[in-house]
Amino acid sequence: MLPNPLHPAVVHFPIVLAFLLPLFALGALVAIRKGARPLRAWSIPLGFAAALTLSSWIAVQTGEGEGERVERVVAEQPLESHEESAELFLTLSGVLLLVAGVGLAPGMVGRAGRITASVGAVALVVAAANVGHSGGELVYRYGAASAYAPADSLPGGNSGRNANAANATDAANAANGGRLAEVDGNHNR
């Protein structure tokens, strides 16, 4: 059985792979320098790069699928910022996969591909940290997890909305003369 929500369960895979990839790339470069066949040694970091791109794509897809529900409790700006950093990370991991694939070529082209991919893998750690940080802020600072909490488990009976979203709704309600409360049927504010 798949967890619900799925996004929090899958987002850790690309982050872990992003941190492991530079280590395996460096290990492959050292092994090649010591005499290992480049095709064989570089296959491991290439496999990690492929897994990274695939898991990043899955994380982005599950995030988009669950984004509408989270939008009910989190302001648009932090959610959009996280989405943009995740999409950038996916793009960068795809480019890194292509460059790592060049590392299988023989001679100087392959060597340049392996070195470039290794440097790119180190740089991708920064993008992974950025995505992870913005996702953590959504959960711990902006209360995104409350989108999945039962209404009766929230303090103050907030019906799945964090305090920021409730305050924004209250402000919109005050601005339109109380009509919002009549529309959503919630007169107990």
Side-chain angles (χ1 to χ4, degrees):
M1 174 140 197
L2 292 175
N4 184 24
L6 185 57
H7 183 68
V10 300
V11 296
H12 298 94
F13 290 105
I15 292 172
V16 169
L17 289 169
F19 279 86
L20 289 176
L21 181 57
L23 301 174
F24 281 92
L26 179 63
L29 291 177
V30 169
I32 292 167
R33 188 170 194 100
K34 289 185 175 185
R37 291 190 356 235
L39 184 65
R40 184 175 186 159
W42 192 251
S43 295
I44 295 169
L46 182 60
F48 268 83
L52 172 62
T53 302
L54 177 62
S55 64
S56 299
W57 179 79
I58 291 169
V60 167
Q61 293 303 309
T62 59
E64 287 176 357
E66 296 168 10
E68 192 171 307
R69 186 169 183 174
V70 174
E71 284 176 352
R72 296 181 203 153
V73 297
V74 175
E76 184 177 342
Q77 189 279 327
L79 188 59
E80 202 166 289
S81 175
H82 178 63
E83 289 172 357
E84 289 172 2
S85 63
E87 289 168 358
L88 175 63
F89 180 78
L90 172 59
T91 301
L92 293 174
S93 68
V95 169
L96 182 69
L97 175 60
L98 294 175
V99 173
V102 172
L104 294 177
M108 291 300 291
V109 171
R111 184 170 187 252
R114 291 187 294 271
I115 292 170
T116 304
S118 298
V119 171
V122 171
L124 197 59
V125 169
V126 175
N130 188 34
V131 174
H133 177 74
S134 65
E137 278 194 325
L138 286 177
V139 173
Y140 296 107
R141 182 174 180 191
Y142 298 106
S146 67
Y148 296 94
D152 58 354
S153 71
L154 296 172
N158 222 358
S159 301
R161 294 183 306 178
N162 69 15
N164 291 338
N167 290 340
T169 302
D170 289 341
N173 189 27
N176 72 13
R179 289 186 300 267
L180 187 59
E182 294 168 10
V183 170
D184 74 4
N186 187 356
H187 300 283
N188 297 326
R189 290 197 208 249

